[in-house]
Amino acid sequence: NSSRFGKFIELQFDSAYKMAGARVHIYLLEKSRVVAQSEGERNYHVFYQLLAGLSADERAQLHVPLPVAEYRLLGQSGCVAIEGVDDAREFRRTRDAMEAIG
């Protein structure tokens, strides 16, 4: 059943930001982990990064004004931050990478 599997495509770029290759990762999707996390686990990290890295104006434009813990999907496990991980910094890195490749 193909709906039980996810695919992640890793795009690889050279130093001039030209695509140099790609790699496909196939993994088993666990429906229970998409809608609920165990204690101490986080959902998709980009959500936490987005909320930590957006300016107040951007958050208002995107209609995400609440702190991360107030969103049920993100705060239900009690883990909204990971020690040693700066979500705002990771968001800037993600945004910079997307801007670099267009």
Side-chain angles (χ1 to χ4, degrees):
N1 182 348
S2 64
S3 65
R4 294 179 50 224
F5 295 92
K7 291 182 183 174
F8 172 76
I9 301 173
E10 175 185 324
L11 301 177
Q12 300 161 342
F13 297 88
D14 65 17
S15 60
Y17 302 111
K18 291 185 180 178
M19 191 183 307
R23 195 165 122 190
V24 177
H25 301 269
I26 299 173
Y27 54 92
L28 176 64
L29 289 173
E30 297 178 53
K31 289 182 188 177
S32 62
R33 296 188 75 181
V34 173
V35 296
Q37 287 69 51
S38 299
E39 186 175 331
E41 286 187 344
R42 295 202 314 177
N43 203 306
Y44 295 99
H45 295 287
V46 73
F47 294 146
Y48 303 88
Q49 295 166 3
L50 182 77
L51 291 171
L54 290 174
S55 70
D57 287 341
E58 291 170 320
R59 288 177 68 129
Q61 284 181 307
L62 295 173
H63 305 287
V64 288
L66 302 175
V68 67
E70 298 296 316
Y71 293 96
R72 185 180 183 287
L73 187 63
L74 303 179
Q76 66 185 339
S77 74
C79 180
V80 296
I82 298 174
E83 187 177 334
V85 175
D86 182 342
D87 286 321
R89 180 178 170 272
E90 292 302 317
F91 178 71
R92 286 190 302 274
R93 291 182 66 214
T94 299
R95 180 181 262 176
D96 290 345
M98 294 176 110
E99 288 174 358
I101 63 171

